[in-house]
Amino acid sequence: MAHHRIRGLLAAVMLAAAGLTANVATAAPAAADTCYTWNRNLSRGASGSDVAQLQERIAGWAARGQNIAIDGQFGPATESALRRFQAGYGLSVDGVAGPQTYSKIYALQDADCTPAHFSYGEFNDSCGENDFTGGRVSAATAKRNIRRVMWQLEALRHKLGDRPIVITSGFRSISCNSSVGGSSSSLHMYGQAADLGLASGPSQCAMWSEGRDSGFEEILGPGYPGHNDHVHVGNKSSQFWSAPNC
């Protein structure tokens, strides 16, 4: 009988230990944030709105020439970008978004979900308008697109030594874009582009070069017509990089 009791006790201990291990593996991060709080660990194969929120924050850590889709599907490109984000901030590189990753994101973002070093005010219409209306998309869509650009710029800024980046042109209404001589298909009217001015800490060529590893598909700089006083970065479906003087 004693042997039966001992075996029963050992089995109970093993079950309890197994349950504890499972709980540790799937435990949700305890931290909370005023912008957005993740409630589960995320890895390849996961899907949902929380994945989309993560993708937005790490979009600037895409592989060269890649543009991360904000589609809520945690695939290879998202894992690769997450690993670069983790490495870039000195975290454990495991490709899993968990407490360490979320804590870094929480530290980087403000209450309106914009990154710490950029704000909507910097992307106000170049002609003095500031409500993000009058473009090719709704104001809400324009702001969402701008927020993605800001997170890519946050990554770009960090890669370039955390030196300030000055935005000289962000969102433009259709009328504003026309008045400043912008292209009729300008990404500025969608909130998908930013012009980085000469007052930025990094050089133009440094911003142009590093932009290729920050998820931007359109990057124009010195030597490209009309771009000798800024670097243009934007998100689009096809790649176009040009800066002959770099």
Side-chain angles (χ1 to χ4, degrees):
M1 292 294 291
H3 291 296
H4 288 299
R5 286 197 296 271
I6 291 172
R7 284 199 297 270
L9 178 60
L10 287 173
V13 170
M14 291 175 66
L15 284 172
L20 177 60
T21 302
N23 287 338
V24 169
T26 59
D33 188 75
T34 54
C35 157
Y36 181 85
T37 299
W38 282 269
N39 294 309
R40 60 171 177 157
N41 295 346
L42 298 172
S43 58
R44 191 187 294 203
S47 62
S49 59
D50 51 357
V51 175
Q53 292 283 344
L54 175 68
Q55 289 170 324
E56 180 179 280
R57 294 349 182 251
I58 63 174
W61 295 89
R64 176 166 294 198
Q66 280 193 337
N67 190 274
I68 299 296
I70 313 299
D71 59 4
Q73 301 298 318
F74 198 124
T78 298
E79 181 181 341
S80 177
L82 175 58
R83 287 179 176 275
R84 290 185 179 86
F85 174 89
Q86 291 172 329
Y89 283 103
L91 308 177
S92 297
V93 180
D94 58 9
V96 176
Q100 62 156 355
T101 298
Y102 300 142
S103 292
K104 174 50 65 174
I105 292 175
Y106 296 154
L108 286 172
Q109 69 186 7
D110 292 327
D112 63 354
C113 299
T114 61
H117 297 102
F118 297 93
S119 67
Y120 286 118
E122 297 175 83
F123 286 77
N124 285 348
D125 195 310
S126 303
C127 299
E129 302 163 0
N130 59 13
D131 59 1
F132 302 103
T133 60
R136 297 288 188 189
V137 293
S138 69
T141 298
K143 290 185 72 175
R144 184 171 62 249
N145 292 341
I146 290 167
R147 193 170 63 237
R148 177 199 171 112
V149 170
M150 282 193 272
W151 277 103
Q152 290 172 260
L153 291 176
E154 185 73 22
L156 176 64
R157 185 185 190 278
H158 185 64
K159 295 171 190 178
L160 292 172
D162 288 314
R163 287 175 289 173
I165 291 177
V166 177
I167 311 300
T168 57
S169 183
F171 173 78
R172 300 175 192 160
S173 65
I174 296 172
S175 60
C176 174
N177 186 67
S178 178
S179 70
V180 300
S183 165
S184 60
S185 60
S186 173
L187 296 175
H188 287 282
M189 296 182 289
Y190 298 84
Q192 293 176 310
D195 291 346
L196 318 180
L198 297 177
S200 300
S203 69
Q204 286 177 279
C205 289
M207 292 188 291
W208 181 85
S209 179
E210 197 61 64
R212 297 175 297 171
D213 296 308
S214 299
F216 292 111
E217 294 286 357
E218 185 170 86
I219 317 172
L220 308 173
Y224 186 81
H227 289 72
N228 287 328
D229 62 349
H230 68 279
V231 173
H232 168 91
V233 293
N235 293 317
K236 60 189 297 186
S237 58
S238 59
Q239 186 180 110
F240 182 42
W241 299 340
S242 181
N245 292 349
C246 289

PDB file of all heavy atoms in Angstrom, residues 161-180:
ATOM      1  N   GLY A 161      21.791  55.641 -35.397  1.00  0.00           N
ATOM      2  CA  GLY A 161      22.386  56.176 -34.183  1.00  0.00           C
ATOM      3  C   GLY A 161      21.473  57.035 -33.343  1.00  0.00           C
ATOM      4  O   GLY A 161      21.948  57.839 -32.529  1.00  0.00           O
ATOM      5  N   ASP A 162      20.160  56.889 -33.527  1.00  0.00           N
ATOM      6  CA  ASP A 162      19.175  57.667 -32.768  1.00  0.00           C
ATOM      7  C   ASP A 162      19.369  59.170 -32.934  1.00  0.00           C
ATOM      8  O   ASP A 162      19.122  59.955 -32.012  1.00  0.00           O
ATOM      9  CB  ASP A 162      19.202  57.292 -31.276  1.00  0.00           C
ATOM     10  CG  ASP A 162      18.612  55.912 -31.013  1.00  0.00           C
ATOM     11  OD1 ASP A 162      17.533  55.624 -31.568  1.00  0.00           O
ATOM     12  OD2 ASP A 162      19.242  55.117 -30.298  1.00  0.00           O
ATOM     13  N   ARG A 163      19.790  59.559 -34.127  1.00  0.00           N
ATOM     14  CA  ARG A 163      19.921  60.989 -34.417  1.00  0.00           C
ATOM     15  C   ARG A 163      18.598  61.521 -34.955  1.00  0.00           C
ATOM     16  O   ARG A 163      17.890  60.818 -35.672  1.00  0.00           O
ATOM     17  CB  ARG A 163      21.050  61.226 -35.421  1.00  0.00           C
ATOM     18  CG  ARG A 163      22.441  61.037 -34.813  1.00  0.00           C
ATOM     19  CD  ARG A 163      23.531  61.165 -35.864  1.00  0.00           C
ATOM     20  NE  ARG A 163      23.523  60.020 -36.766  1.00  0.00           N
ATOM     21  CZ  ARG A 163      24.284  59.945 -37.864  1.00  0.00           C
ATOM     22  NH1 ARG A 163      25.069  60.955 -38.190  1.00  0.00           N
ATOM     23  NH2 ARG A 163      24.252  58.868 -38.626  1.00  0.00           N
ATOM     24  N   PRO A 164      18.228  62.757 -34.635  1.00  0.00           N
ATOM     25  CA  PRO A 164      16.923  63.313 -35.039  1.00  0.00           C
ATOM     26  C   PRO A 164      16.723  63.299 -36.550  1.00  0.00           C
ATOM     27  O   PRO A 164      17.659  63.530 -37.322  1.00  0.00           O
ATOM     28  CB  PRO A 164      16.983  64.750 -34.508  1.00  0.00           C
ATOM     29  CG  PRO A 164      17.974  64.707 -33.397  1.00  0.00           C
ATOM     30  CD  PRO A 164      19.007  63.703 -33.814  1.00  0.00           C
ATOM     31  N   ILE A 165      15.491  63.019 -36.943  1.00  0.00           N
ATOM     32  CA  ILE A 165      15.085  63.088 -38.348  1.00  0.00           C
ATOM     33  C   ILE A 165      13.977  64.124 -38.443  1.00  0.00           C
ATOM     34  O   ILE A 165      12.978  64.047 -37.725  1.00  0.00           O
ATOM     35  CB  ILE A 165      14.608  61.720 -38.861  1.00  0.00           C
ATOM     36  CG1 ILE A 165      15.800  60.764 -38.955  1.00  0.00           C
ATOM     37  CG2 ILE A 165      13.912  61.848 -40.209  1.00  0.00           C
ATOM     38  CD1 ILE A 165      15.436  59.359 -39.396  1.00  0.00           C
ATOM     39  N   VAL A 166      14.166  65.090 -39.318  1.00  0.00           N
ATOM     40  CA  VAL A 166      13.230  66.213 -39.455  1.00  0.00           C
ATOM     41  C   VAL A 166      12.329  66.006 -40.671  1.00  0.00           C
ATOM     42  O   VAL A 166      12.815  65.817 -41.795  1.00  0.00           O
ATOM     43  CB  VAL A 166      13.988  67.550 -39.593  1.00  0.00           C
ATOM     44  CG1 VAL A 166      13.004  68.703 -39.803  1.00  0.00           C
ATOM     45  CG2 VAL A 166      14.848  67.797 -38.352  1.00  0.00           C
ATOM     46  N   ILE A 167      11.023  66.020 -40.446  1.00  0.00           N
ATOM     47  CA  ILE A 167      10.035  65.864 -41.523  1.00  0.00           C
ATOM     48  C   ILE A 167       9.730  67.231 -42.124  1.00  0.00           C
ATOM     49  O   ILE A 167       9.287  68.137 -41.415  1.00  0.00           O
ATOM     50  CB  ILE A 167       8.725  65.239 -40.996  1.00  0.00           C
ATOM     51  CG1 ILE A 167       9.012  63.988 -40.163  1.00  0.00           C
ATOM     52  CG2 ILE A 167       7.778  64.931 -42.155  1.00  0.00           C
ATOM     53  CD1 ILE A 167       9.723  62.902 -40.890  1.00  0.00           C
ATOM     54  N   THR A 168       9.954  67.386 -43.416  1.00  0.00           N
ATOM     55  CA  THR A 168       9.647  68.660 -44.075  1.00  0.00           C
ATOM     56  C   THR A 168       8.333  68.616 -44.848  1.00  0.00           C
ATOM     57  O   THR A 168       7.774  69.660 -45.170  1.00  0.00           O
ATOM     58  CB  THR A 168      10.784  69.068 -45.031  1.00  0.00           C
ATOM     59  OG1 THR A 168      10.994  68.015 -46.002  1.00  0.00           O
ATOM     60  CG2 THR A 168      12.071  69.297 -44.258  1.00  0.00           C
ATOM     61  N   SER A 169       7.842  67.421 -45.147  1.00  0.00           N
ATOM     62  CA  SER A 169       6.544  67.292 -45.813  1.00  0.00           C
ATOM     63  C   SER A 169       5.974  65.920 -45.501  1.00  0.00           C
ATOM     64  O   SER A 169       6.666  64.907 -45.656  1.00  0.00           O
ATOM     65  CB  SER A 169       6.679  67.468 -47.328  1.00  0.00           C
ATOM     66  OG  SER A 169       5.410  67.421 -47.963  1.00  0.00           O
ATOM     67  N   GLY A 170       4.738  65.902 -45.032  1.00  0.00           N
ATOM     68  CA  GLY A 170       4.083  64.642 -44.716  1.00  0.00           C
ATOM     69  C   GLY A 170       2.834  64.471 -45.552  1.00  0.00           C
ATOM     70  O   GLY A 170       2.890  64.294 -46.762  1.00  0.00           O
ATOM     71  N   PHE A 171       1.674  64.560 -44.918  1.00  0.00           N
ATOM     72  CA  PHE A 171       0.415  64.442 -45.646  1.00  0.00           C
ATOM     73  C   PHE A 171       0.131  65.718 -46.446  1.00  0.00           C
ATOM     74  O   PHE A 171       0.435  66.828 -45.999  1.00  0.00           O
ATOM     75  CB  PHE A 171      -0.741  64.202 -44.677  1.00  0.00           C
ATOM     76  CG  PHE A 171      -2.092  64.227 -45.341  1.00  0.00           C
ATOM     77  CD1 PHE A 171      -2.546  63.136 -46.061  1.00  0.00           C
ATOM     78  CD2 PHE A 171      -2.896  65.352 -45.261  1.00  0.00           C
ATOM     79  CE1 PHE A 171      -3.784  63.159 -46.690  1.00  0.00           C
ATOM     80  CE2 PHE A 171      -4.142  65.376 -45.880  1.00  0.00           C
ATOM     81  CZ  PHE A 171      -4.581  64.283 -46.595  1.00  0.00           C
ATOM     82  N   ARG A 172      -0.430  65.538 -47.635  1.00  0.00           N
ATOM     83  CA  ARG A 172      -0.878  66.679 -48.456  1.00  0.00           C
ATOM     84  C   ARG A 172      -2.280  66.403 -48.984  1.00  0.00           C
ATOM     85  O   ARG A 172      -2.564  65.294 -49.463  1.00  0.00           O
ATOM     86  CB  ARG A 172       0.041  66.900 -49.663  1.00  0.00           C
ATOM     87  CG  ARG A 172       1.493  67.194 -49.368  1.00  0.00           C
ATOM     88  CD  ARG A 172       2.267  67.258 -50.674  1.00  0.00           C
ATOM     89  NE  ARG A 172       3.714  67.270 -50.479  1.00  0.00           N
ATOM     90  CZ  ARG A 172       4.583  66.948 -51.431  1.00  0.00           C
ATOM     91  NH1 ARG A 172       4.139  66.547 -52.635  1.00  0.00           N
ATOM     92  NH2 ARG A 172       5.878  67.000 -51.185  1.00  0.00           N
ATOM     93  N   SER A 173      -3.146  67.402 -48.917  1.00  0.00           N
ATOM     94  CA  SER A 173      -4.439  67.297 -49.592  1.00  0.00           C
ATOM     95  C   SER A 173      -4.172  67.363 -51.092  1.00  0.00           C
ATOM     96  O   SER A 173      -3.074  67.732 -51.533  1.00  0.00           O
ATOM     97  CB  SER A 173      -5.358  68.443 -49.172  1.00  0.00           C
ATOM     98  OG  SER A 173      -4.828  69.680 -49.622  1.00  0.00           O
ATOM     99  N   ILE A 174      -5.157  67.015 -51.879  1.00  0.00           N
ATOM    100  CA  ILE A 174      -4.999  67.069 -53.340  1.00  0.00           C
ATOM    101  C   ILE A 174      -4.664  68.480 -53.782  1.00  0.00           C
ATOM    102  O   ILE A 174      -3.753  68.695 -54.604  1.00  0.00           O
ATOM    103  CB  ILE A 174      -6.280  66.565 -54.036  1.00  0.00           C
ATOM    104  CG1 ILE A 174      -6.509  65.088 -53.705  1.00  0.00           C
ATOM    105  CG2 ILE A 174      -6.193  66.775 -55.543  1.00  0.00           C
ATOM    106  CD1 ILE A 174      -7.837  64.538 -54.175  1.00  0.00           C
ATOM    107  N   SER A 175      -5.354  69.469 -53.233  1.00  0.00           N
ATOM    108  CA  SER A 175      -5.102  70.855 -53.630  1.00  0.00           C
ATOM    109  C   SER A 175      -3.720  71.314 -53.193  1.00  0.00           C
ATOM    110  O   SER A 175      -3.021  72.016 -53.927  1.00  0.00           O
ATOM    111  CB  SER A 175      -6.178  71.780 -53.049  1.00  0.00           C
ATOM    112  OG  SER A 175      -6.186  71.716 -51.633  1.00  0.00           O
ATOM    113  N   CYS A 176      -3.309  70.916 -52.006  1.00  0.00           N
ATOM    114  CA  CYS A 176      -1.978  71.284 -51.525  1.00  0.00           C
ATOM    115  C   CYS A 176      -0.900  70.645 -52.396  1.00  0.00           C
ATOM    116  O   CYS A 176       0.077  71.291 -52.778  1.00  0.00           O
ATOM    117  CB  CYS A 176      -1.804  70.856 -50.078  1.00  0.00           C
ATOM    118  SG  CYS A 176      -0.142  71.119 -49.428  1.00  0.00           S
ATOM    119  N   ASN A 177      -1.081  69.362 -52.700  1.00  0.00           N
ATOM    120  CA  ASN A 177      -0.099  68.670 -53.526  1.00  0.00           C
ATOM    121  C   ASN A 177       0.071  69.362 -54.870  1.00  0.00           C
ATOM    122  O   ASN A 177       1.192  69.512 -55.376  1.00  0.00           O
ATOM    123  CB  ASN A 177      -0.539  67.217 -53.739  1.00  0.00           C
ATOM    124  CG  ASN A 177       0.500  66.394 -54.466  1.00  0.00           C
ATOM    125  OD1 ASN A 177       1.578  66.136 -53.959  1.00  0.00           O
ATOM    126  ND2 ASN A 177       0.158  65.975 -55.677  1.00  0.00           N
ATOM    127  N   SER A 178      -1.045  69.803 -55.444  1.00  0.00           N
ATOM    128  CA  SER A 178      -0.996  70.515 -56.716  1.00  0.00           C
ATOM    129  C   SER A 178      -0.267  71.847 -56.589  1.00  0.00           C
ATOM    130  O   SER A 178       0.557  72.215 -57.428  1.00  0.00           O
ATOM    131  CB  SER A 178      -2.416  70.743 -57.242  1.00  0.00           C
ATOM    132  OG  SER A 178      -2.401  71.476 -58.451  1.00  0.00           O
ATOM    133  N   SER A 179      -0.526  72.559 -55.496  1.00  0.00           N
ATOM    134  CA  SER A 179       0.069  73.889 -55.316  1.00  0.00           C
ATOM    135  C   SER A 179       1.577  73.830 -55.095  1.00  0.00           C
ATOM    136  O   SER A 179       2.293  74.776 -55.431  1.00  0.00           O
ATOM    137  CB  SER A 179      -0.597  74.608 -54.136  1.00  0.00           C
ATOM    138  OG  SER A 179      -0.236  74.013 -52.901  1.00  0.00           O
ATOM    139  N   VAL A 180       2.088  72.721 -54.551  1.00  0.00           N
ATOM    140  CA  VAL A 180       3.534  72.609 -54.339  1.00  0.00           C
ATOM    141  C   VAL A 180       4.233  71.868 -55.481  1.00  0.00           C
ATOM    142  O   VAL A 180       5.436  71.608 -55.411  1.00  0.00           O
ATOM    143  CB  VAL A 180       3.850  71.910 -52.997  1.00  0.00           C
ATOM    144  CG1 VAL A 180       3.256  72.684 -51.830  1.00  0.00           C
ATOM    145  CG2 VAL A 180       3.354  70.456 -52.981  1.00  0.00           C
TER     146      VAL A 180
END
